[in-house]
Amino acid sequence: MAAVTTLSIIAAIGSAVVILSGQQNAQPNGHGCMEIDVADEVSHPFYDRDYFARYFGELNYTVGIFGKHLNGGNPSFLPEGVDEMLINGGGSFLNPEFVVSTRNSLPPRSVTFDNCTATTGFPCYSTSIIGNASLAWIERHIAANNNMDNNAKPFFALISLKAPHIEDGPDFPKAIPAPWYENATVLESIAPRTPNYNCSVEDHHWLAQSQHPVTAKEAEEADKLYVSRVKSLMSVDDMVQDLVQVLEDQALLSNTYIIFTSDNGYKLGQFRMFGKAAAYEDDIRIPMMIRGPGIQSNVSSTLMGTHVDLIPTLLGMAGQSQIPATMDGRNLANCLIGEEDTHCEFSDSSVLVEYLSLGENMVRYNHTFDVYNHSFNALRFRQSHANESSVPDHWFYSFDSSGPNVMRDMKYVEYRNSQIDRNAMHSPLEIEVFDLERDPYEMSNLRDVIHPYLLGLLQEKLQRLLRCQGESCRQEHNSGVDEG
Ligand SMILES: *[C@@H]1O[C@H](CO)[C@@H](O)[C@H](O)[C@H]1NC(C)=O
Ligand SMILES: *[C@@H]1O[C@H](CO)[C@@H](O)[C@H](O)[C@H]1NC(C)=O
Ligand SMILES: *[C@@H]1O[C@H](CO)[C@@H](O)[C@H](O)[C@H]1NC(C)=O
Ligand SMILES: *[C@@H]1O[C@H](CO)[C@@H](O)[C@H](O)[C@H]1NC(C)=O
Ligand SMILES: *[C@@H]1O[C@H](CO)[C@@H](O)[C@H](O)[C@H]1NC(C)=O
Ligand SMILES: *[C@@H]1O[C@H](CO)[C@@H](O)[C@H](O)[C@H]1NC(C)=O
Ligand SMILES: *[C@@H]1O[C@H](CO)[C@@H](O)[C@H](O)[C@H]1NC(C)=O
Ligand SMILES: *[C@@H]1O[C@H](CO)[C@@H](O)[C@H](O)[C@H]1NC(C)=O
Ligand SMILES: *[C@@H]1O[C@H](CO)[C@@H](O)[C@H](O)[C@H]1NC(C)=O
């Protein structure tokens, strides 16, 4: 096998709305959680200026984009830097439709994949169509590049799947597994009963406070949904296995970064609610796994990052340390590659979590999970207190009988009505503060317990994160709350 000098990247994203612009606070356009200003025109600034592919194109990467892209405003053209695409807004699990195109040969057109019965005996299945298309593209790329010899162009494949999204309809919501896994058995039979499952929380945001207990019928429905989701992920496992096999067969596995991450989490009874859209860890924390050159195996990192850091970090892995001007995220490559995450220049870290309500009175299983005044801006941060012997008083609070506690791993949430105050110009309607080190399930709101001076620092830090751009965001992200 010829020596390989190129590093390729596969970013597989289960259940994704893919933005990958590296921007936070994307321009408002309508309402809902997909607050990004895009349109399907070639000349639109988003695809012209912010879309990730051109930056990899400039580094001589060949880019393919496959699967679930934006919910709406998907390009009807090949964005700059993209060689091949097969995308939709999620589509249906069975016999899905995609817009497909290949640079220089196949102009964009809509294709419905409904011809699988003859070969497989089953309808076409979304994950398999996306998996097979990306695999075929990678194999063609390897062949065209002379088995990735010294002068080969590396590739970047973005593979995003509908699974384990729900599909609505009669007897729904549920996810649809591949027809051949219809009767498969899985280990899971009920949704996780975390300590905050079916919990009444008197000191939380009004929506959490006002939930009725989860009934037996609701629990049964949510458990069915959970099992259908696990089954739908069996095809994602198959796809990952096939991808790894192809890379192994081509001796490219040691030269390729594979990143696996996901869309939001989803409550199935936590705080007596169902669905996404909350500021709680169940909704906002997602898996992020990576393998590849320089990445230690089987270690987990406490490093805090968000999707805005993805593209700057992947560019960093591809050797581009300069972050494009419109991007607010950080290049965390140095924190991930090597022995330990001691290469990071910062010990404190803060990230912004934003949500604009989907609408008035959004209900799942007879439980309201979203209303306009449930829009929020949140600050999730770690404050290391480098000198533990001189932690300022305002970081202490008393939470239990064990004596005073110091805050290190926290969340601060401000709720607003997005119809009246979408830009956070007024005082928040409600506030939540959690100590995630001692209270990982967010059972206790410390709003009235923490030092008023700390509350002021939190408010100021959140405002700075909301208003920052580019370099000033990175400074805010790489620091705690005391500085600034
Ligand atoms: C990309 O390829 C071109 C042509 O082979 C070469 O001139 C250029 O230096 C390459 N750019 C990078 C960033 O490697
Ligand atoms: C099924 O349809 C797709 C999309 O038109 C096409 O690419 C594929 O070759 C077809 N497969 C078979 C077996 O005819
Ligand atoms: C390709 O499609 C087949 C049949 O639909 C499926 O069994 C297989 O898992 C797919 N491959 C990938 C990589 O998704
Ligand atoms: C699953 O079970 C049902 C009921 O026994 C049967 O009709 C169906 O063919 C089975 N599906 C598969 C893929 O074996
Ligand atoms: C939820 O809690 C209530 C009591 O608050 C209880 O009556 C109910 O059975 C619980 N539901 C489930 C599904 O455990
Ligand atoms: C990974 O680490 C965990 C805990 O540190 C350990 O229990 C497990 O055996 C390790 N797995 C492998 C494959 O090394
Ligand atoms: C929905 O919840 C309300 C209480 O908030 C209850 O009165 C009503 O019976 C429930 N409806 C169903 C269909 O469970
Ligand atoms: C939020 O809106 C709901 C419904 O519109 C209302 O019942 C509730 O009192 C409001 N809560 C706050 C804190 O504004
Ligand atoms: C840590 O704080 C203590 C108490 O204020 C002080 O005496 C000590 O010099 C500090 N250490 C460092 C390394 O700053």
Side-chain angles (χ1 to χ4, degrees), residues 122 178-184:
F122 294 106
W180 48 92
Y181 286 137
E182 187 188 11
N183 301 326

Side-chain angles (χ1 to χ4, degrees), residues 30 41 60 92 95 112 118 140 145 155 161 177-178 206 251 311 323 333 337 361 384 389 419 452:
E41 314 147 26
N60 286 339
S92 20
N95 293 335
T112 300
R140 280 203 305 282
N145 277 273
F155 67 87
L161 306 158
W206 76 270
I311 288 301
I323 300 171
I337 297 169
N361 212 22
S384 61
S389 56
Q419 288 187 306

Side-chain angles (χ1 to χ4, degrees), residues 10-285:
I10 295 175
I13 304 195
S15 176
V17 171
V18 183
I19 313 263
L20 293 190
S21 72
Q23 276 178 295
Q24 60 185 34
N25 306 321
Q27 290 307 303
N29 177 27
H31 70 94
C33 47
M34 322 311 174
E35 277 286 306
I36 191 148
D37 181 14
V38 295
D40 62 354
E41 314 147 26
V42 187
S43 60
H44 191 277
F46 176 77
Y47 287 111
D48 196 35
R49 189 191 63 193
D50 303 327
Y51 195 63
F52 80 100
R54 60 172 278 219
Y55 296 105
F56 287 91
E58 283 164 12
L59 295 172
N60 286 339
Y61 273 70
T62 302
V63 177
I65 55 176
F66 305 93
K68 185 177 190 316
H69 203 255
L70 296 172
N71 283 7
N74 274 322
S76 51
F77 55 92
L78 266 178
E80 194 184 331
V82 177
D83 172 65
E84 180 156 313
M85 73 177 186
L86 176 139
I87 61 169
N88 64 18
S92 20
F93 276 110
L94 300 177
N95 293 335
E97 186 180 352
F98 294 93
V99 172
V100 298
S101 181
T102 302
R103 191 161 297 281
N104 300 330
S105 64
L106 193 62
R109 64 202 175 103
S110 251
V111 179
T112 300
F113 291 78
D114 57 3
N115 57 355
C116 299
T117 316
T119 42
T120 69
F122 294 106
C124 295
Y125 186 61
S126 168
T127 305
S128 306
I129 298 293
I130 296 164
N132 281 322
S134 36
L135 216 58
W137 177 76
I138 291 170
E139 285 176 322
R140 280 203 305 282
H141 175 85
I142 294 170
N145 277 273
N146 209 3
N147 290 319
M148 305 296 276
D149 68 11
N150 282 335
N151 300 316
K153 287 174 72 142
F155 67 87
F156 184 123
L158 173 67
I159 308 170
S160 318
L161 306 158
K162 180 181 173 76
H165 262 97
I166 55 171
E167 201 158 283
D168 277 311
D171 192 29
F172 288 83
K174 67 178 183 191
I176 300 185
W180 48 92
Y181 286 137
E182 187 188 11
N183 301 326
T185 49
V186 291
L187 291 175
E188 296 81 355
S189 58
I190 57 167
R193 300 303 197 248
T194 50
N196 55 359
Y197 179 83
N198 192 21
C199 252
S200 146
V201 274
E202 300 298 321
D203 57 4
H204 284 44
H205 178 260
W206 76 270
L207 200 51
Q209 258 180 50
S210 61
Q211 301 292 329
H212 64 263
V214 177
T215 66
K217 175 85 180 133
E218 289 161 1
E220 191 192 320
E221 292 291 310
D223 290 342
K224 269 200 274 181
L225 168 57
Y226 182 70
V227 170
S228 74
R229 289 192 150 163
V230 173
K231 283 196 196 181
S232 80
L233 291 176
M234 294 173 84
S235 297
V236 180
D237 288 349
D238 289 347
M239 188 196 84
V240 172
Q241 188 177 329
D242 289 354
L243 278 171
V244 169
Q245 190 63 53
V246 163
L247 295 172
E248 201 159 25
D249 292 349
Q250 303 283 345
L252 289 176
L253 192 55
S254 61
N255 261 43
T256 305
Y257 286 106
I258 304 178
I259 292 109
F260 186 91
T261 186
S262 86
D263 203 346
N264 54 272
Y266 201 93
K267 292 182 299 308
L268 290 168
Q270 282 67 33
F271 299 122
R272 302 179 162 178
M273 288 187 278
F274 301 85
K276 46 192 178 182
Y280 304 122
E281 295 291 278
D282 304 288
D283 298 45
I284 68 167
R285 275 192 76 161

